[in-house]
Amino acid sequence: MEALLITAVPARGLRSGLRSGLRNITVAALACCAGAAGVATAAAPQAPLATDAATVAGLADLGLAMLRQPGPANAVVSPVATAAALGMVHAGADGATEHEIETLFGPRETGPRSFKLRLPALLKEVGSGPAPSPFVMAGRVWLDQTIAAAVPAGYSHRMATRYQADATRVNFKNSEAVRGQINAWTAERTAGRIADLMPPGSVSEATLITLSSAIHFRSAWDQPFDSAKTEALPFNTAPGTAKPVPTLVDERSVLQAQVSGTQVLALPFGGAGGAAFALLVAVPAADSDVQALVKGLNGAELARWQAALQPKKCQLALPKFKIAPKATALRPLLESLGMTTAFSPAADLRPMLGRAAHKVHLGDVYAAAGITIDEQGGEAVGAAAATVQSKSLAVSPPCVVDRPFVFAVVHRLTGTPLFIGRVGDPALAD
């Protein structure tokens, strides 16, 4: 799951009317990734749709920049959720504030189209296909009753058309009650996985608007693993250091490639809609490590990996892993990427708040993500299944993931990375 929170803190005191002090704006976006219960039957691959390669690469580059931040051995981020939240801010920004957000997705010539047209179109494409789709997106704009009338109609229209966000009026003077409403909305749209997106103190009487977007991915494998075959196999957390970890084992056809020494595997999810998604796993070359792989990786290389994949039969061994959500502040990262004005008193958010935007700016960005991979596809296991297949007499080559690796949950037709992460020790639950 992914939870993103952007909040602006007043420079002095609480709100004393619309003409004094800095105002508080909160933007929240979240996503969760889990597996569906039961057995899914793989659908025939669809013909590739037109793909906006630049926007897909921009999403990957944003996610990788987030993943490079110092952190634990296991980490996961959602570039889609983060970009959607930043897009909601961009739709209400002007001047340098708008342009700096646009540069996160490329040069000035292409950035505006990325947020205004390409990202919304890509999100729609990722969520299309046979129903029910494993990718669901919802949004809501929480408006303080004192400024609701000041919000331009154009901004409300952009929220509805680009991010499927509806609007509701609240009284942020009752901040704890409103925080409870937002958290309840969040929990409902992430199957309870994110119950406390908004921590105590994240909204106050100074809050004017909160923007929340929920992104939920849920799918079983195309070919579930037999839990009876799961066994403890050694995983090399560091050179010369191995520990036994529960590992999914099977002989099957696996999409795989060797790209510049990196072993890349892809396991498709299943069902009518799930067939459009896959788990991508990349094991660094023997003379490298996961940190170096993440440092040198970019969106173009991620696309190159996916293009090189070919089905080959092998003895697959993939560790089960689970990464629980943990909030990370993104303001230093975003400022280092050039997004500085939005966090300063010079921020221009008039397209969002109209006449109520005087002296309003963003405070910080907090992101958290989590994922579970197991025999059925995720942690929401309600049924078990065994796949019966004929075995060849020859021994298939191994596809063994036995040392730290990079992974991504991708939309196969566009290459869009919903989640990107690293696993340094599958035995760690958090």
Side-chain angles (χ1 to χ4, degrees), residues 191-203:
R193 298 286 306 276
I194 303 179
D196 296 301
L197 172 66
M198 309 288 287
S202 58
V203 297

Side-chain angles (χ1 to χ4, degrees), residues 1-303:
M1 359 182 208
E2 163 75 12
L4 180 113
L5 168 67
I6 305 177
T7 181
V9 182
R12 57 182 187 278
L14 296 178
R15 177 171 52 196
S16 57
L18 292 178
R19 293 189 298 272
S20 64
L22 295 180
R23 303 299 188 261
N24 184 311
I25 301 175
T26 303
V27 181
L30 55 135
C32 78
C33 177
V39 180
T41 302
Q46 302 177 38
L49 302 175
T51 299
D52 183 349
T55 302
V56 170
L59 281 168
D61 287 336
L62 176 62
L64 288 164
M66 296 167 62
L67 194 62
R68 291 186 190 108
Q69 300 307 290
N74 301 342
V76 59
V77 300
S78 175
V80 165
T82 304
L86 292 175
M88 295 175 81
V89 178
H90 174 267
D94 204 354
T97 308
E98 179 185 26
H99 296 321
E100 289 172 5
I101 298 175
E102 290 167 356
T103 59
L104 296 175
F105 264 64
R108 185 179 293 266
E109 294 77 18
T110 59
R113 290 182 59 83
S114 291
F115 276 105
K116 293 178 181 178
L117 300 173
R118 292 172 174 171
L119 178 62
L122 186 64
L123 293 175
K124 183 178 180 180
E125 185 174 326
V126 171
S128 65
S133 173
F135 173 85
V136 179
M137 183 173 181
R140 173 158 293 179
V141 181
W142 310 79
L143 294 169
D144 188 80
Q145 59 190 16
T146 62
I147 57 91
V151 175
Y155 181 70
S156 299
H157 176 72
R158 290 191 291 276
M159 288 297 91
T161 56
R162 295 182 189 179
Y163 303 105
Q164 297 76 54
D166 59 14
T168 185
R169 295 189 182 195
V170 294
N171 184 358
F172 279 108
K173 288 184 178 180
N174 301 321
S175 56
E176 278 301 292
V178 176
R179 186 174 74 89
Q181 286 181 259
I182 298 172
N183 282 340
W185 182 91
T186 298
E188 182 180 354
R189 283 153 183 79
T190 58
R193 298 286 306 276
I194 303 179
D196 296 301
L197 172 66
M198 309 288 287
S202 58
V203 297
S204 69
E205 291 187 32
T207 302
L208 292 181
I209 182 171
T210 297
L211 310 175
S212 58
S213 175
I215 302 173
H216 185 197
F217 176 80
R218 181 183 179 92
S219 181
W221 295 121
D222 165 45
Q223 187 178 343
F225 290 84
D226 184 353
S227 59
K229 296 180 179 179
T230 299
E231 58 179 302
L233 295 178
F235 186 90
N236 300 287
T237 55
T241 304
K243 65 166 62 176
V245 301
T247 303
L248 309 176
V249 178
D250 194 20
E251 182 181 44
R252 61 172 63 181
S253 179
V254 176
L255 291 167
Q256 52 186 294
Q258 286 282 342
V259 183
S260 301
T262 299
Q263 181 187 28
V264 183
L265 309 173
L267 299 180
F269 291 100
F277 299 87
L279 175 70
L280 195 70
V281 175
V283 183
D287 59 352
S288 184
D289 57 33
V290 72
Q291 289 81 9
L293 182 59
V294 171
K295 183 178 180 180
L297 189 58
N298 58 37
E301 183 69 4
L302 189 65

Side-chain angles (χ1 to χ4, degrees), residues 256-353:
Q256 52 186 294
Q258 286 282 342
V259 183
S260 301
T262 299
Q263 181 187 28
V264 183
L265 309 173
L267 299 180
F269 291 100
F277 299 87
L279 175 70
L280 195 70
V281 175
V283 183
D287 59 352
S288 184
D289 57 33
V290 72
Q291 289 81 9
L293 182 59
V294 171
K295 183 178 180 180
L297 189 58
N298 58 37
E301 183 69 4
L302 189 65
R304 183 183 169 204
W305 285 357
Q306 296 183 68
L309 292 168
Q310 295 293 330
K312 296 180 183 178
K313 196 169 187 179
C314 69
Q315 295 281 353
L316 177 63
L318 175 69
K320 296 169 59 174
F321 61 92
K322 178 180 180 180
I323 305 175
K326 184 177 181 181
T328 302
L330 294 184
R331 176 173 174 173
L333 169 65
L334 294 174
E335 289 182 327
S336 72
L337 295 175
M339 182 180 160
T340 58
T341 305
F343 298 107
S344 75
D348 187 347
L349 298 173
R350 286 174 294 177
M352 180 189 297
L353 291 173

